[in-house]
Amino acid sequence: MGRNLYYTIPKYLENALDRHTKVRSWQRIDHPKNDDDFIYLIKRNDGLSDITLHASDEYSYSLTDYFQKPAQISDGAFILIARPEAGYDDVIVEIAQSDQISIGKFSALMGALYIEEHWNYVPKERREEN
């Protein structure tokens, strides 16, 4: 892991957070010189709990990546698969969900911000369409 996100990705994320109706405020909580990660604290409206967000720069987010996630990523956190071309395995989703952690791409984050137990949210990218 590291700071390998194209510079437009954090800007896009931050602009979306600024416009999201459930986001009261957000801030970067990583240290730009001492951390290799993009980590945000998102404070939500309407009594919803705060979410710590890790924007992963991995192309293929693996089980190893999950178990080596930053220490700040625990119960109630969201792991954003930030690169549009990146992927992740559904097995990781099940493990993260049991830890009350969400994992998904940008649209999954935008939907999960609306609900308290966001780790139970099933985004369109993972829905079984009949």
Side-chain angles (χ1 to χ4, degrees):
M1 293 192 205
R3 291 191 184 269
N4 295 321
L5 290 177
Y6 193 66
Y7 75 95
T8 59
I9 293 174
K11 293 278 186 203
Y12 185 80
L13 170 63
E14 292 164 7
N15 287 336
L17 292 174
D18 284 340
R19 293 187 315 271
H20 199 286
T21 59
K22 292 296 180 187
V23 175
R24 183 175 67 240
S25 66
W26 62 267
Q27 66 181 30
R28 292 270 306 263
I29 58 172
D30 58 283
H31 189 283
K33 294 187 178 169
N34 296 334
D35 266 342
D36 286 335
D37 298 297
F38 288 90
I39 302 174
Y40 296 80
L41 177 62
I42 301 169
K43 296 190 176 281
R44 298 190 290 168
N45 295 319
D46 304 324
L48 294 169
S49 62
D50 298 345
I51 295 177
T52 303
L53 173 93
H54 175 222
S56 171
D57 64 351
E58 297 296 326
Y59 279 108
S60 180
Y61 194 85
S62 69
L63 202 51
T64 300
D65 297 316
Y66 180 77
F67 287 118
Q68 293 178 348
K69 65 191 175 297
Q72 300 97 313
I73 306 306
S74 60
D75 291 9
F78 193 105
I79 299 169
L80 174 65
I81 307 303
R83 293 177 180 267
E85 70 277 13
Y88 61 97
D89 194 315
D90 286 341
V91 171
I92 299 168
V93 173
E94 293 173 17
I95 293 168
Q97 187 176 24
S98 71
D99 293 336
Q100 296 184 342
I101 295 174
S102 296
I103 185 167
K105 293 191 172 195
F106 183 78
S107 62
L109 170 64
M110 293 296 109
L113 286 171
Y114 285 99
I115 62 172
E116 179 61 30
E117 293 183 356
H118 54 84
W119 52 89
N120 290 324
Y121 175 72
V122 180
K124 187 174 183 179
E125 67 194 56
R126 290 197 307 263
R127 288 185 204 143
E128 291 183 26
E129 302 292 320
N130 294 335

